[in-house]
Amino acid sequence: MQGKIFTVACALLLASCTSSREGDAALGAVADAANWPAANSPAAITDDAAESRITDLLSRMSVEQKVGQLIQADISTIKPEDLHTYQLGSILAGGNSGPYGNERGSAADWDRMVREFRTASLRPAANGIAIPIIFGVDAVHGHNNIPDATIFPHNIGLGAARDPEMIRRIGAATAAEVAGSGIEWTFAPTLAVPQDPRWGRTYEGYSSDPSIVAEYATEMVLGLQGTLEAGKPLQNGKVAATAKHFLADGGTLGGKDQGDAVIDEAELVSVHAAGYPPAIDAGALTVMASFSSWNGVKHHGNKSLLTDVLKDRMGFEGFVVGDWNGHGQVAACSVTDCAQAINAGLDMFMAPDSWKGLYETTLRQARDGTIPQERLDDAVRRILRVKIKLDLLDNPMQDRSNYAAIGAPDHLALAREAVRKSLVMLKNNGGILPIRPGANVLVTGPAADDIAIQSGGWTISWQGTDVTPDDFKNGRTIWQGLSDAIRSTGGTAQLAPDGQFDSRPDVAIVVFGERPYAEFQGDVPTLDYQPSGAQDLALIKRLKAQGIPVVSVFLSGRPMFTSPEINASDAFVAAWLPGTQGQGLADVMVAPESGKPAYDFTGKLPFPWPADASYPMDKPLFDRGYGLTFAKPGNVGVLSEDPGIDLAKAMNVDNYFAAGRAAAPWSLSITDAGGKRPVETSSATSPGGAITVKSVDVNAQEDGKAFIFKGTGSASIEGPPANLRRQFDDGAALRIDWRIDAKGTGSTALAFADSTVSLADWIAAAPTGKVSSLIIPLQCFAKNGTELENVGNAFRLEGSKGLAFTLLAVRIDTPGAGSKCPPAKK
């Protein structure tokens, strides 16, 4: 959900832009509803009494109250008392928002905060009417916002399980925990059908097979909401579901998040719409519009899709909510001005930090007829219909709380079951699995004992990078699960992340994979797992060279080119992002004392597995549906390790920092007298305490890193040696987009490769508190003797006490007019 905030001008979207439906049609972005499957919200979504009540309310509500219902604000930017002035319809907590500013707030904290907002929304206006807010969160793999909640495998793993009945049980458990913390609405399930695994949200999709997504859509909606009953609200422990993101978020060109699905209508219908009719038929109360576009037109502004298809042809009677300031991406809109989205069929703006300006503008547009009264009333009717179904109008202060549901034992057992069923065995040559009873086992690899890596993004925080064992005391890392199981059979287990050991093991289990990410921060240019460095492959080969059999456990949010790693391993398991119940892997991988496996592998690939790093895949290495078992083993021969592309060209050599993080394969770190520490989390402090780092919003969600120097130190972006000779020959420059927040009193210098220049004059002249750009031609560094064919240090900012800046981008770019060389550091 959390996404970029920017306005896209018509000229950037279309060759010739018009807001008319004819203009859309010329680009193939107007849907013909007759080509789409019919569906219908169940009659039980409403009833005559509810509709009469809504009609009466609409006749008495002020235009201010109606407009307020259309707007949703984030808890980080609004206080309960603001609802006395702005009678908004909804409040959300985004991926980095927690109760009272605490991302790790308890269920009781969440419950208390929701009740405070709800109470504030119930102060009647002059007309005697008060409409309670509806509160929503992203509970996308369990109630992932709360420590010690049950964290299920991400959807890609559930897709591998091929178990619809289990999906309904997972939905019910998630609903119980969300409702148990006082919340009535989750932004799930994701019904994307990802076609390009380079997309950073691939793991949010169940499969690239639309039939699996369609089957799961029904079960997850019924699990979350239960079966709708006429004239009755949702049962206790149930929450409103959100079918998202409408539409084709998984079909964008190049797998770019928030990008453009350049496809014909037939593919849009047959592939990407598959999950929506069954979700609507099951009673989904809300649908979320996608950030993305179809043939150049943003979904938040496409009337043919939101109204003609979704509401008319598919008979959807609930309301359509936007994504994080997604309306601001509609042509000719901004985050505070977008009547086009409402007129296209959006019913509720998700306006986390833009709500106040958007309210004022939308109110003016409702008054002057830019938004017709009929459209305004229809949107409000749909929102009130859902609020009635949630019993918010009759019983707004009902006590939903059930704190004991958070991480309940039966929920944790279900998560463990889901982990077992999600595992896909790609290779098991020589029958190395299951691990025999009494074996001496080395467990190694960077992800073996890391609950953040195994849980992935959308865990506690948006990106999930800062999760620690303290967040899930009821969780087990993969190492802990394996260790318990191995020792229970009389074996021994030793943990060595670097692969070193004291006593020679009978077998090594190497656990490795992708670091946590979410949304656009997970987009990658190729499917190669480690296009440079390949440290995990080196670890596997080192163990194999010592004659030790190796079982590889690969954690990832997508299928990736791992043929070198598979070749070097005796067995290879795709474990996806299993969540906090890591013992589920040991259930399948370790044989009990009897020697007979307690569970077999049952998982099947939900996506094709690539034979190389290129895309599109000409021929996959393993087809969707592939998966070995103990009962039906198979032998995998030597695989081609040809990546199929020129990795040197595909590798990122000139974009070092963007979207709030170092761009792979580059990494960000901070250093002071206490040593060096990587910055992989939303916030960090250097070992000596001289530098603090925090992710901040400047133009988009977490698009900047704010550095505060309390002493002398440096911030660096480093990576594998890059050859920038071509860029130098083209006259390129190093460009840094940042905001100087405080200039400090000491010296400031910038190092690039092995050349260091003084920034004293530039910092002195730079504006404070405003984004500016520092552009230094590469020739400036070359004159200082820099070897541009071997650049491993792309940025090192050396500063001292008092310096503070927010970094937005570091890249190689064309030099601007008047770009000068700073003096060399003395």
Side-chain angles (χ1 to χ4, degrees):
M1 180 193 66
Q2 315 269 29
K4 295 180 181 177
I5 304 169
F6 57 91
T7 303
V8 182
C10 267
L12 295 178
L13 280 174
L14 314 176
S16 60
C17 183
T18 171
S19 61
S20 72
R21 302 289 280 276
E22 291 75 23
D24 294 350
L27 289 169
V30 170
D32 180 351
N35 296 330
W36 293 68
N40 280 291
S41 290
I45 197 172
T46 188
D47 56 72
D48 291 343
E51 294 304 308
S52 295
R53 183 179 185 182
I54 293 170
T55 299
D56 174 64
L57 277 171
L58 288 172
S59 71
R60 295 186 292 116
M61 288 173 69
S62 67
V63 67
E64 291 86 354
Q65 289 174 311
K66 291 178 180 180
V67 168
Q69 289 301 299
L70 273 55
I71 294 176
Q72 180 185 67
D74 186 82
I75 59 172
S76 63
T77 68
I78 191 170
K79 297 177 180 178
E81 53 265 32
D82 291 328
L83 296 177
H84 297 159
T85 303
Y86 300 91
Q87 295 180 304
L88 304 188
S90 181
I91 303 294
L92 84 148
N96 286 329
S97 297
Y100 313 108
N102 179 15
E103 279 186 346
R104 289 165 168 77
S106 67
D109 293 332
W110 283 91
D111 183 31
R112 184 169 70 255
M113 177 194 64
V114 172
R115 294 176 72 81
E116 287 171 359
F117 275 107
R118 189 109 61 214
T119 298
S121 70
L122 291 173
R123 175 182 288 190
N127 58 10
I129 295 174
I131 307 294
I133 56 103
I134 178 174
F135 194 99
V137 294
D138 285 279
V140 297
H141 63 137
H143 195 6
N144 44 263
N145 307 280
I146 295 183
D148 286 330
T150 306
I151 304 300
F152 293 97
H154 268 295
N155 285 351
I156 190 170
L158 300 183
R162 306 290 178 93
D163 190 338
E165 184 273 337
M166 184 180 70
I167 297 305
R168 187 182 296 206
R169 288 189 283 134
I170 289 173
T174 301
E177 298 199 19
V178 172
S181 61
I183 298 168
E184 66 275 359
W185 181 20
T186 176
F187 305 133
T190 296
L191 301 180
V193 189
Q195 299 300 295
D196 188 335
R198 293 175 294 179
W199 185 38
R201 304 190 79 160
T202 296
Y203 66 77
E204 295 186 52
Y206 295 115
S207 175
S208 60
D209 181 349
S211 66
I212 294 174
V213 175
E215 189 173 27
Y216 276 20
T218 299
E219 300 304 322
M220 185 56 80
V221 169
L222 289 174
L224 290 167
Q225 294 187 173
T227 301
L228 301 186
E229 298 181 62
K232 296 181 180 180
L234 296 192
Q235 300 169 5
N236 256 355
K238 296 298 182 181
V239 298
T242 306
K244 71 178 189 182
H245 306 84
F246 191 81
L247 188 64
D249 48 341
T252 61
L253 190 64
K256 296 297 184 185
D257 192 41
Q258 305 183 27
D260 190 9
V262 185
I263 56 178
D264 60 28
E265 187 173 5
E267 183 176 348
L268 193 66
V269 174
S270 64
V271 176
H272 299 286
Y276 291 91
I280 291 167
D281 287 341
L285 292 175
T286 71
V287 170
M288 184 180 290
S290 176
F291 277 120
S292 58
S293 309
W294 176 40
N295 292 335
V297 177
K298 286 290 180 181
H299 291 305
H300 277 68
N302 193 322
K303 186 175 183 181
S304 73
L305 289 175
L306 295 182
T307 298
D308 301 348
V309 169
L310 179 60
K311 293 181 175 178
D312 295 343
R313 178 65 173 169
M314 292 186 182
F316 175 61
E317 298 290 348
F319 71 82
V320 180
V321 64
D323 208 336
W324 190 273
N325 276 329
H327 56 277
Q329 299 187 24
V330 174
C333 282
S334 72
V335 296
T336 56
D337 185 350
C338 197
Q340 296 95 313
I342 297 297
N343 289 338
L346 192 75
D347 300 309
M348 181 182 286
F349 292 111
M350 185 181 287
D353 55 357
S354 58
W355 59 270
K356 189 175 294 185
L358 184 62
Y359 171 85
E360 301 291 353
T361 303
T362 307
L363 178 60
R364 184 174 66 250
Q365 292 163 338
R367 284 171 171 163
D368 68 17
T370 302
I371 298 174
Q373 181 176 336
E374 182 181 9
R375 171 77 272 267
L376 178 64
D377 284 356
D378 175 64
V380 177
R381 177 179 292 276
R382 290 169 174 274
I383 294 166
L384 294 179
R385 186 178 290 152
V386 171
K387 290 185 175 183
I388 288 174
K389 207 65 189 171
L390 292 170
D391 204 21
L392 290 174
L393 265 59
D394 287 329
N395 194 9
M397 297 308 296
Q398 63 182 291
D399 185 2
R400 299 175 180 272
S401 66
N402 178 14
Y403 306 151
I406 309 301
D410 57 327
H411 297 171
L412 298 175
L414 176 57
R416 182 172 179 171
E417 174 190 344
V419 174
R420 288 197 299 266
K421 292 180 174 179
S422 71
L423 305 175
V424 181
M425 185 161 62
L426 301 184
K427 180 180 180 179
N428 191 27
N429 288 9
I432 193 70
L433 287 175
I435 303 297
R436 63 175 176 81
N440 176 18
V441 183
L442 172 69
V443 181
T444 182
D449 195 33
D450 193 312
I451 201 128
I453 294 179
Q454 70 186 53
S455 299
W458 289 111
T459 308
I460 299 297
S461 62
W462 176 35
Q463 294 296 315
T465 54
D466 55 353
V467 174
T468 71
D470 286 343
D471 292 321
F472 296 101
K473 295 182 177 65
N474 56 9
R476 302 293 284 168
T477 65
I478 294 171
W479 148 251
Q480 290 171 326
L482 289 169
S483 176
D484 292 344
I486 291 164
R487 288 169 180 162
S488 73
T489 72
T492 58
Q494 49 185 316
L495 175 66
D498 60 359
Q500 301 297 326
F501 51 83
D502 296 324
S503 61
R504 181 181 177 83
D506 298 320
V507 62
I509 299 176
V510 183
V511 189
F512 61 99
E514 294 186 288
R515 299 290 308 177
Y517 56 82
E519 300 197 29
F520 55 87
Q521 294 199 13
D523 288 356
V524 293
T526 83
L527 292 178
D528 193 297
Y529 166 55
Q530 284 186 331
S532 63
Q535 302 95 325
D536 298 331
L537 176 61
L539 172 59
I540 297 169
K541 286 185 172 181
R542 177 158 52 84
L543 291 165
K544 284 290 291 181
Q546 298 174 76
I548 300 169
V550 172
V551 175
S552 285
V553 176
F554 184 55
L555 304 183
S556 69
R558 60 190 125 214
M560 303 194 79
F561 173 55
T562 52
S563 292
E565 289 82 1
I566 295 174
N567 278 339
S569 307
D570 297 280
F572 194 97
V573 176
W576 315 111
L577 301 170
T580 58
Q581 301 307 299
Q583 64 270 51
L585 282 86
D587 290 344
V588 184
M589 293 174 59
V590 180
E593 287 185 275
S594 68
K596 183 180 179 181
Y599 300 93
D600 202 345
F601 283 88
T602 58
K604 304 298 179 185
L605 287 179
F607 293 81
W609 197 272
D612 57 34
S614 65
Y615 197 86
M617 297 182 202
D618 291 330
K619 181 175 174 53
L621 177 62
F622 302 117
D623 290 327
R624 188 174 54 215
Y626 172 89
L628 300 176
T629 67
F630 297 143
K632 294 183 178 180
N635 191 74
V636 175
V638 177
L639 307 174
S640 169
E641 298 187 5
D642 181 358
I645 57 174
D646 186 338
L647 288 176
K649 289 183 178 178
M651 199 176 85
N652 169 29
V653 299
D654 51 15
N655 183 28
Y656 312 119
F657 186 92
R661 68 190 301 173
W666 303 87
S667 60
L668 177 65
S669 63
I670 49 179
T671 305
D672 68 0
K676 183 176 182 179
R677 175 177 173 175
V679 178
E680 297 172 339
T681 62
S682 296
S683 60
T685 303
S686 63
I691 307 173
T692 60
V693 188
K694 183 179 180 180
S695 294
V696 295
D697 302 351
V698 179
N699 298 309
Q701 181 71 20
E702 280 198 9
D703 62 337
K705 276 281 194 295
F707 296 79
I708 300 175
F709 284 66
K710 299 177 181 178
T712 301
S714 65
S716 304
I717 299 174
E718 299 165 306
N723 187 344
L724 299 181
R725 172 54 61 178
R726 178 183 61 79
Q727 289 84 347
F728 171 77
D729 291 342
D730 290 342
L734 175 69
R735 177 179 178 132
I736 303 168
D737 295 333
W738 55 357
R739 185 182 67 204
I740 304 300
D741 299 314
K743 299 182 179 181
T745 57
S747 62
T748 305
L750 172 70
F752 178 82
D754 54 0
S755 175
T756 305
V757 297
S758 171
L759 294 186
D761 293 342
W762 192 92
I763 294 285
T768 302
K770 295 182 179 179
V771 175
S772 57
S773 298
L774 169 60
I775 301 173
I776 305 175
L778 293 182
Q779 63 177 336
C780 301
F781 302 108
K783 285 193 295 187
N784 292 340
T786 295
E787 185 182 344
L788 292 171
E789 293 84 359
N790 191 36
V791 176
N793 166 46
F795 170 95
R796 186 173 72 248
L797 198 289
E798 302 169 355
S800 54
K801 185 176 181 180
L803 176 66
F805 64 90
T806 298
L807 192 63
L808 293 169
V810 181
R811 65 184 184 274
I812 301 299
D813 202 353
T814 54
S819 299
K820 297 179 180 179
C821 295
K825 180 183 177 183
K826 296 179 180 179

